[in-house]
Amino acid sequence: MPDTTGTRITASWYRHPPPLMIAVMSGTTHVPGKGIDDTPRGAPTAPHRGAGILVVVLGAVFMALLDATVVNVATPAIHRELRTTGSALQLIVSGYTMAYAALLITGARLGARHGFRTVFLLGLAVFTLASAACGLAPGAAALIGARVVQGLGAGLMVPQIYSLIQLTFEGRARARALSLYATVIAAAVVVGQVAGGLLVSADLFGTGWRPVFLINVPVGVALLAAAARLLPRESARTAAGLDLPGLVTLTGTLLLLVVPLVLGREQHWPQWAGVCLAAVVPAAGLFVLVERAVARRGGTPLVPGRVLRSPDLVCGAAALFFCMAGYAGFLFALSQHLQTGLGESAVHAGLTFAPLAVGVAAGSLTWQRLSARWHLPMIAAACALAAVGYLGLGAALRGGGTGGPVVPLLQLLWGLGMGFTTSPLLTLALSGIAPADAADASGVLTTVPQLAQVIGVAGYGSVFLAGAAGPGGRAAASAGALCATALPVAVGSLLAGLAVLPLLRRRRLPDGDR
């Protein structure tokens, strides 16, 4: 049987959202002329109750992120014990993301229709039960199926977080809650890498890789008990339908894009992958036609046209796309370089990313202290700062060594750039959305960066892997490939900054000129 463990990182980074990516699953609203975090919406909540709700929400997201990260580290052990083929190993990791991406927008609609609290609890319960099934899976097929169900649980649970924060917090308290949200998910990348390595290495009671899934069960049960007691019950719910034709065509379009990008490269781009990618554009056109037909019949489209006509959403989503594609692609390349090129362990590589997590947390927690008029210029400048981090890391590691003390500093700059970009973009993208469309807009924002992650790793990752397979020693070839990858990633980061400039000009125009 061929050894597939050498490609475990390559496979894994196509399959799960990087921690910053998941941060875009929330947002706030604002009044034009004020800061992008100032508009209260939702009933005030007692401070102690609000803190409890935040713990529940952040705990659920952290569990999902931790699970995705530790699976990356566990794939070699899974391969050895279950004797999986390369394709099965890829599906064990990718099944989660594909199911998750397909359900995001519908998950948001279900929350608006049946209650955010109800759907959050359902998603958390499904995720917890599926984690138990993963940990007890007797073979590869059962593990793949359980991972898909995990993704469905996350697709139900995560889109409700924005609305739950909206219901619980208002004004600056809401902005602080979102900043804490970004901080927690920034930390998950380090904790997940280290915890995964420790759990697999410990081989608790001879269970090998299984504790990376089973640890979710007691945590999930505790979160379910707390959520049932603390989460607010909404009195008003939308009567909007589910738009099943839109769901089917959108899911098909997403799968046509995601599946070949996830599996195509490692199978040397078979013919079916090219056919699927070629079918994405006509499938997207069919989705648009279906949505227009639903609207003409008086139904509620899955993605209302008025949502996509919001300049804030369009520009914010475009900036998020470039940011997350670059983040995912370069993080993949750097992880590959550390573990494959330099031969570092998963635990050591995880600790290497600590300055990145610190930078993201610092930026996420402090950006709202700036005057409101500087928020948009701050985003553009932060994108440029992230670009400096990418280029600096590529240059510092070009020689094939560890890069010395400048590497943590450059990672800190990269993290600060992302922290001062991602959190305010969350609020900016939804700033022009009416409350009735918040759930649909939130669903769109969860899907855009998810696709950006897959496309970023497929594109930037291909640049890195092509260079890493070149002549020369393994470390030297990998270092050269990382340096070559840094340039297009930095360009993408600058494009993210340019995407918000039209909004800066628009806000400076008198009302009559807009």
Side-chain angles (χ1 to χ4, degrees):
M1 180 181 300
D3 183 7
T4 60
T5 60
T7 60
R8 61 187 182 275
I9 307 172
T10 303
S12 67
W13 275 94
Y14 278 86
R15 321 303 197 268
H16 71 88
L20 283 178
M21 165 94 53
I22 307 296
V24 301
M25 295 169 183
S26 58
T28 57
T29 53
H30 85 294
V31 174
K34 293 186 178 183
I36 57 179
D37 61 335
D38 293 338
T39 298
R41 195 157 288 159
T45 302
H48 67 280
R49 186 177 179 87
I53 292 171
L54 193 59
V55 168
V56 169
V57 170
L58 296 184
V61 173
F62 187 80
M63 180 176 67
L65 288 172
L66 191 69
D67 181 76
T69 309
V70 298
V71 169
N72 298 334
V73 182
T75 48
I78 293 173
H79 167 71
R80 288 192 299 269
E81 180 177 333
L82 300 184
R83 298 183 180 277
T84 60
T85 63
S87 297
L89 189 66
Q90 294 169 32
L91 289 172
I92 287 170
V93 192
S94 68
Y96 177 92
T97 296
M98 289 189 287
Y100 170 81
L103 195 61
L104 284 172
I105 293 179
T106 300
R109 176 67 60 84
L110 287 170
R113 182 177 175 84
H114 299 289
F116 308 119
R117 176 183 184 274
T118 299
V119 179
F120 178 87
L121 289 171
L122 175 61
L124 180 55
V126 169
F127 185 91
T128 302
L129 291 172
S131 295
C134 288
L136 301 174
L143 184 54
I144 291 170
R147 287 288 286 164
V148 170
V149 177
Q150 266 192 321
L152 295 176
L156 291 172
M157 175 178 65
V158 175
Q160 317 314 321
I161 291 172
Y162 158 68
S163 298
L164 288 170
I165 290 178
Q166 290 284 79
L167 288 169
T168 304
F169 302 98
E170 60 182 19
R172 294 195 176 277
R174 185 181 301 157
R176 286 192 295 270
L178 291 173
S179 295
L180 287 173
Y181 188 20
T183 302
V184 167
I185 49 189
V189 67
V190 177
V191 176
Q193 291 276 12
V194 177
L198 292 177
L199 284 172
V200 173
S201 300
D203 192 19
L204 300 174
F205 308 106
T207 53
W209 52 269
R210 297 180 186 273
V212 303
F213 296 109
L214 294 176
I215 195 174
N216 292 333
V217 177
V219 176
V221 170
L223 290 175
L224 276 169
R229 183 171 61 88
L230 293 172
L231 293 185
R233 298 178 182 270
E234 320 93 76
S235 57
R237 298 178 185 177
T238 179
L242 290 181
D243 182 17
L244 292 179
L247 172 61
V248 171
T249 52
L250 177 62
T251 300
T253 302
L254 292 177
L255 291 178
L256 285 172
L257 176 64
V258 171
V259 171
L261 290 179
V262 166
L263 301 178
R265 184 170 54 80
E266 292 187 357
Q267 295 185 11
H268 306 291
W269 296 108
Q271 185 176 5
W272 66 262
V275 171
C276 288
L277 290 174
V280 169
V281 173
L286 177 62
F287 172 68
V288 172
L289 294 176
V290 167
E291 293 294 86
R292 289 178 176 175
V294 170
R296 284 196 300 268
R297 293 196 302 266
T300 306
L302 197 63
V303 184
R306 61 183 178 273
V307 170
L308 298 181
R309 286 193 292 270
S310 167
D312 292 321
L313 180 67
V314 172
C315 293
L320 282 170
F321 179 89
F322 286 116
C323 283
M324 298 306 141
Y327 173 81
F330 197 75
L331 202 53
F332 161 76
L334 185 55
S335 296
Q336 280 280 80
H337 175 64
L338 291 175
Q339 297 190 53
T340 303
L342 300 183
E344 295 182 357
S345 67
V347 175
H348 189 275
L351 290 174
T352 301
F353 291 116
L356 173 63
V358 170
V360 173
S364 299
L365 290 172
T366 59
W367 70 267
Q368 67 270 30
R369 297 181 182 179
L370 292 177
S371 172
R373 64 175 182 167
W374 293 109
H375 287 167
L376 282 172
M378 173 196 68
I379 294 173
C383 290
L385 184 64
V388 171
Y390 292 133
L391 292 173
L393 284 168
L397 297 172
R398 182 175 54 185
T402 60
V406 71
V407 169
L409 177 60
L410 290 168
Q411 283 207 60
L412 183 63
L413 292 179
W414 174 19
L416 286 171
M418 296 304 296
F420 280 113
T421 300
T422 306
S423 291
L425 277 176
L426 305 181
T427 61
L428 170 67
L430 293 175
S431 61
I433 299 298
D437 295 326
D440 293 330
S442 180
V444 171
L445 285 179
T446 62
T447 304
V448 167
Q450 181 74 9
L451 296 178
Q453 176 239 347
V454 177
I455 294 171
V457 174
Y460 298 131
S462 295
V463 173
F464 173 81
L465 292 172
R474 183 176 65 177
S478 177
L482 184 69
C483 185
T485 306
L487 179 58
V489 171
V491 171
S493 185
L494 294 176
L495 289 175
L498 291 175
V500 301
L501 293 184
L503 297 181
L504 182 61
R505 180 179 180 274
R506 181 171 176 266
R507 279 166 167 74
R508 286 175 174 171
L509 288 176
D511 290 340
D513 295 337
R514 291 180 183 174

